[in-house]
Amino acid sequence: MTSTHNESGGAVAAAPQFRFPATPAQAHIWFLEQLSTGGAAMNVAVRWEIRGVVRDETIRRAFNLIISRHEILRTRFVEIDGQPTQEVMPSAELKLAHVDIRTTPIETQAERIDAIAVEDSAQPFDMESAPLIRATLVRMAADCAMLLITAHHSVFDGFSIGVLGDEFGTAVEALEAGRSPSLSELPLQFGDYALWQRDYLKSDALREDLNYWIGELKGAPYFEVEPDFPRPPAKTYAGAEANLDLPPAFAERLESTACDAGLTGFAYAAAILSAMLHRTTAAEDIVFGTHVAGRNEVDLETMIGVLVNSLILRIPSTSRKPIREHARAVGGIVKRALVHSDIPFETLVEALNPPRDRARTPIVSVTFDYQRTTFLQNRKYDGFELISRPSHSPGAVFDLNFAIIARPDLCRLSVQYDTSLFTDETANALLRRLATSFEVAFDNPGALIGDLPVPQASIASDAARPSADLRRTASPISREEAPSSAPRPPSSLDRLADIWGEVLGRIPDQCDGDFFALGGHSLLVVRMLAKVRQTFDVKLSLAEFIADPTLTACALLIDKALTKDTAAHEGGLTEPTWRLTSLKNGAPDGPVIVTVNHPLLYYGARERFGADAAIVNIHIPDTEAIERQADKSIDEIVCEARDVLLQSYHGRQLAVLGLCANGRVSYRLAQLLREAGETVVQLAMIDAWAPRTLDRSGPIARLTEKWTLRRRRWSYYARQMFDGEITLVNFLSRNNAFAKISRRIGVLASPQEEEVFVEAVIEHLMLKCRELERAPYDGEAILFCSGASTDAAKEERFGWDGVLRDDTPIFAIHGWHEDALLQAGLEKLARILRLRLGEPPEALRREGSSTS
């Protein structure tokens, strides 16, 4: 702990820099530590291999630089009025421990490292002393070392590993080169999050989530697998881990089978695990937990701290049910749980107030996780490489914690188990039975749950059920045990289903799903949101809708908007005129596809880029923002967009994409990003003419071009109407001249506020972009042309000659202008972008020669 000295020379503890309330998760961990029951189970163990010559002192300096950046790593916990409180200290130093095993035979080094790691991670922390993280450097050779990190769970979670690793690698690279590390300013500290969560929990915002869980868990038994040994009077948290290696093709087979069933890999795996647990215990009400990162906002992705949350899955299971039907039911359970995932698990436990038993964790004894990527993405730096290595669990919080670990170099089933309850033989037998269950489900899609293997008598009998003792101490959860509240009116969901049915052309009963999967697209979203505003008198956030575009989630947004405090926030700084919306999260160090304006147009791109790529949209959010931009130059406007973007994605590889006027904005944004030292690996523009290019034509030529374009647009949509792809009403709405007449005679409704706003953004930027200077751009770029582009546009390369590089390719994509970002057009655009991001230029030109 940092200290100062008094006049007599004695040391006195330094005063904390800040105080924050402990979050519910931190308070739970603190209470376990006060009971002396948490022990090593509250530690998080991490292993990284460093290949290359890196000085020990550099590693120590990098750690302490990161500790100085993140307040949570300078935080200790003290008791104030009987409650734990976070105290951020002015400074805290990590003293790097060293172990040299260079003289140890290579064949025994791994065993030695394991022993060091187990011993170090088993040492407890003093929660009243910062930092609550330590590291040991095991030097294996001059150019190879293993870094063993142990952090306390009160300040660290699995997602934090990736954040720490990314900053650590960047810091080490800079320090080794004699530079000051360039790390972006953190948008939030963990204390800010703790204050926000406290106020959020005090509000009524989570009432609907709580009502859902009360109904979901009403009458739920305390599910457990019958242990081998009598349960101790209190949890020991002593744990071990069993692993079963799987064929490399397992993960691909799992994802493929899940996709065929319309499910995620996690949902399908949860279904097979629940079926196996049913066969193991004969229980027909399977309850287990899973973990979510709890980082739904972009600003939380760069934060170190404990944000992970637990969700409960209650899964009815019977041997007579087909596995495929069971999996579909589990998919719905998982989806509903994720919709209601905001409420902290500890808050849920407090509200449900189940019978407490020191021998058991509340509500669940079994958990399941599906890890498809490492928290730290392996990365090469200048002179060294940082590699994630499998670690171990210092203890067991739950009776059993199953996991599927599916990575390019590793595929295995794993279970962490409480060694005071289960033998090694039982843990391994459970894994073998789970692996066999997957094989049965893969090989025989029509199999019943009853076709899965049952345990041998040496493990547990077929009739094994929760013990009588358990049923006395852990009675079913009752709605009456939780705080009383008015049930949610069913009308919101029903009325919303009617709106979706009208907009999507479906009966309301067929609308329970993803809006886009049900046939929705950007124009229909605008119409749907307009009808929601008219029906409920609430204006939904487009970003929130995109985050989960399902009927249930949309109904929850409406309910929250109807019940929240409507008092306006006065004063403060002027809001930016741009807003950043995340369409898809990627790897912490993966590329970022930056789309400009109209986020709904790019929603479909989520499924067309790899897991590493993030997709975001920078957009003008409302008419007030347009008004605030009115007196600004285009450079001022785009500079602000750049600054908003870099608050979250500074230092990442960026690809910038825009359509029409937004393509011109993308061009200037890419220039400004490169001038700021950022890496722009790709600029892509769709139907985007260079500034003032069309001004070169005379008035007769421009009029001819306008009428030619109008005729071709009419022909394009008329062909779609005759082919049955669009209705007469849609045809009329997409032709301006017909639309005006149709609205006059009442065939078409007047444009909604949202549609007017979309047009206002386009007109605003087209006017502003006339000021753009045609400065050369020497970075990588691509031009796309839709069916709306004339042959002259292609021949003139949209006027970008002399601005873009001579080898800039141009590709044709299917669709008319904005329609090109639907289905086939978007698929081709994404495929070409992926080639540009990962393939050499020669490969792209070969691809372009057949499509341009």
Side-chain angles (χ1 to χ4, degrees), residues 495 530-540 558 561-562:
R495 291 158 71 195
K531 289 183 178 296
V532 166
R533 178 168 49 81
Q534 293 170 350
T535 304
F536 298 96
D537 196 27
V538 297
K539 188 172 183 179
L540 295 186
I558 293 170
L562 289 171

Side-chain angles (χ1 to χ4, degrees), residues 227-232 234-240 359 396 399 417-423:
D228 298 315
F229 309 116
R231 191 177 289 273
K235 284 192 69 67
T236 66
Y237 293 90
D399 292 4
Y417 57 98
D418 189 327
T419 52
S420 69
L421 300 175
F422 298 100
T423 64

